[in-house]
Amino acid sequence: MTPAGPRAPIAEANRLSRLLNISRGTERFPVDVEELARGYAQQFGHNDPIAEVIGADLPGFEGALYGTKKHGKLEWALLYNSAIETPGRIRFTMAHELGHYILHRQNGNTFECSEADLLQWESEGKRQEAEADVFASYLLMPIDDFRRSISSNSVDLHILDGCARRYGVSLTAAILKWLEFTEQRAVLVMSTEGYMLWARSSQPALRSGAYFRTRNVPVPIPVGSLAASSESLIHEKQGVELAARIWFPQEPEEMSLREFKIVSDRYERTMSLLILPKAEPRWVREHEDNDSRSLDEYIRSGYLPENK
Amino acid sequence: MTRQLVSLMFVISSYGEHYPDMNTLSTVSFLFAIMVKSTPQDDSLKEIYVPTPLGIKIRQLRKEQGLSLDQLAAMAETSKSYLWELENRETANPTMDKVSKIAEKLGVTAEFLLNDKQEGHSVEDADKAFFRKYQKLPSPTKKKIQDILNVIQDRGTDDE
């Protein structure tokens, strides 16, 4: 049985990763999702296998998992659009469908075709979609391996691009995964025509106030940023050094950040990766500005340095 | 519906020739469950980026006429960010007044911009809820998916 709860997608993905680690060793990436899908039922003793994995040219379509009952025996087929240009997206789609198979196939028949259930169905559907995404991202990019791949301290777009290739996923997917665990302050911003479509911050960035609320009001790309410059640099994987205040007005004046930019002309999207140095604790600056007392002295004296 | 035979779980694309359209599966009579998603995490997370048919049309017409956001906003006497919202956000709140003005400047009627009816087969009301997103898929794609499902279904029967 599939474990329930929000950890289930991660637990299931990790279980498969451990198996693959044992059977394939470290040179097992990118994950061969098709093989995994075909072998899963046998491996884990289920009697309703994914019997077919079918790719077809299906414009506008991404993927589907469906089951057929053949004289009482349930079998599943994974259908995907093989005409999508980027193999990373196909792999992600297949992993997502495998996630549905592992996590949700038992729930499949709880849905009734009635208008009344629609709202509930939609929210349940959304939750399952999110779970399938989480499953896919952990299966394709196990965090322990990801950590090892970027042992170097100065992560840049080159390194993350290397990870995307290693795992056979899109650069966006790799960066989003990295943002989940990095200790660095980093923010990924996707924009089109001067406004943010969405943004995602790493935990340290979030805690230091380096984030954008993009849901409600359109947030413009700040003037002076690389993203706002009209220079037709297609790739800026080296990045440029900028005053952090250009993006984040609350950052200290002397704080700088590195901005990386990738432009997709075709979709008119600009992807910006912002990497900031560690947040400077306010007391350090007080300390430097005013006197030479150590933090320890502040604490012992019960004298709390004030925020500027 | 009698015994349901098939269930479907869906992923939908956001990038593509067409703008991210929410979409999904089939009118084939043997399916019983479909799960739809707007945008795979791969591309755009849950901070959902879902333009409306209205947004897609405005953007398309604007591009065809070589207008920038700034230009069309100025022509239609609206703000650039409002126009951007109309084009890019599901949550945009179009007012008739503004849409009429934008339509006028783009040389179409407001009705054309706002009408998002899909051509398509008539399906039972109960199915409509499930299939309305599927119906937004291009017809040839729908047909192909049905064909594939039919083939698999037949194959299963022949096998035994």
Side-chain angles (χ1 to χ4, degrees), chain A residues 121, chain B residues 8-10 24-26 31-36 130-131:
Chain A
W121 176 79
Chain B
L8 293 152
M9 297 178 184
F10 261 81
T24 291
L25 236 253
S26 174
L31 28 122
F32 68 83
I34 302 175
M35 273 148 248
V36 185
F130 280 133
F131 301 141

Side-chain angles (χ1 to χ4, degrees), chain B residues 80-149:
Chain B
K80 183 183 174 185
S81 66
Y82 178 76
L83 188 56
W84 186 90
E85 262 188 293
L86 279 187
E87 288 189 4
N88 294 292
R89 288 268 190 251
E90 190 176 28
T91 50
N93 194 12
T95 66
M96 202 49 209
D97 177 40
K98 297 205 164 161
V99 172
S100 300
K101 233 173 192 156
I102 291 167
E104 185 197 322
K105 299 300 169 190
L106 291 171
V108 297
T109 62
E111 201 211 341
F112 170 78
L113 289 183
L114 291 167
N115 181 3
D116 64 346
K117 288 223 173 65
Q118 303 289 320
E119 93 295 351
H121 350 242
S122 64
V123 290
E124 285 172 40
D125 278 351
D127 289 341
K128 258 184 199 151
F130 280 133
F131 301 141
R132 73 203 153 94
K133 284 162 184 164
Y134 162 72
Q135 286 169 355
K136 291 185 184 174
L137 282 172
S139 309
T141 298
K142 281 187 270 194
K143 169 108 180 28
K144 243 179 187 173
I145 290 173
Q146 290 190 20
D147 289 347
I148 292 170
L149 295 180

Side-chain angles (χ1 to χ4, degrees), chain A residues 59 66 89 97 121 170 269, chain B residues 11 34 42-43 49 141 152:
Chain A
Y66 69 92
R89 279 171 45 73
E97 301 307 336
W121 176 79
S170 71
R269 276 179 180 70
Chain B
V11 188
I34 302 175
D42 192 12
D43 300 306
Y49 166 55
T141 298
I152 291 172

Side-chain angles (χ1 to χ4, degrees), chain A residues 241-294:
Chain A
E241 202 85 14
L242 288 175
R245 279 189 173 177
I246 289 177
W247 283 92
F248 307 103
Q250 78 281 8
E251 289 290 318
E253 200 177 343
E254 63 278 12
M255 184 70 78
S256 65
L257 61 74
R258 188 157 281 274
E259 178 178 346
F260 303 87
K261 169 182 170 182
I262 289 188
V263 174
S264 158
D265 282 336
R266 177 151 174 212
Y267 303 117
E268 285 188 273
R269 276 179 180 70
T270 300
M271 190 171 83
S272 307
L273 177 63
L274 312 170
I275 301 183
L276 295 101
K278 275 204 162 54
E280 194 177 335
R282 295 294 157 124
W283 62 264
V284 172
R285 288 189 296 132
E286 285 287 335
H287 172 92
E288 284 167 353
D289 291 347
N290 299 337
D291 56 43
S292 58
R293 278 180 292 185
S294 69

